[in-house]
Amino acid sequence: MHGLRKWALLALAVFFVAAGANHFVNPSFYVRITPPSLPSPLSLVYVSGLFEVLGGVGVLVPSVRSAAGWGLVLLLIAVFPANLYMAINPDRFSDIPVAFLYLRLPLQAVFVAWAFWATRPTH
C-alpha cells in the first residue's frame, strides 16, 4: 500500500474511533446538535457513535476495509443534517463561532472524499 494512503487510513481510523467514542463520553453535545425533527436523539447519538467506532476499526481490517469506507461515507451523509441544523440556527450555538458552523458544511465533503479515497480497493 502507498505510504500516503497508509497514513490517511490510519488517521481516518483514529479520527472516527475518537469521534465515535466521544459520543459516549459527551452525548449531551451531540443530542444538542440533533435536529429536533428527528426522534430519540440520545439513541441516534449512541447509534452514530457506535457506527463511527466500528467504521474506524473496520478501515484497518483489509477484508472489510471497502465496506467500512462505504459505511463511513453513508454515515457522514446521514449526519449532515446536524451540521446543516447548526448552520441554520447559529443563535442556538452561541458558544461555537459562526464561521466554524459554516465551515463544517464543506468539511463534510472533505471527510467523505477522505473516507472514499483511503478505503478504495487497490487492485
Side-chain angles (χ1 to χ4, degrees):
M1 179 182 298
H2 186 264
L4 177 61
R5 190 158 169 231
K6 185 185 287 187
W7 283 108
L9 202 55
L10 182 59
L12 186 70
V14 169
F15 176 82
F16 275 100
V17 169
N22 195 47
H23 283 64
F24 297 95
V25 173
N26 189 18
S28 60
F29 171 77
Y30 299 96
V31 167
R32 186 173 149 228
I33 69 171
T34 302
S37 59
L38 295 177
S40 208
L42 185 59
S43 296
L44 292 173
V45 166
Y46 288 143
V47 167
S48 61
L50 174 65
F51 281 112
E52 285 185 7
V53 170
L54 290 174
V57 171
V59 301
L60 297 176
V61 180
S63 62
V64 297
R65 179 172 295 144
S66 182
W70 279 111
L72 290 175
V73 166
L74 293 174
L75 181 64
L76 287 163
I77 292 167
V79 301
F80 185 76
N83 295 341
L84 194 55
Y85 172 70
M86 292 176 76
I88 292 171
N89 299 286
D91 54 310
R92 295 184 184 182
F93 305 98
S94 59
D95 56 322
I96 302 171
V98 174
F100 182 72
L101 299 178
Y102 289 108
L103 179 63
R104 288 173 57 106
L105 300 174
L107 197 55
Q108 201 78 354
V110 172
F111 288 139
V112 166
W114 178 18
F116 177 76
W117 176 77
T119 62
R120 75 186 191 288
T122 56
H123 50 305

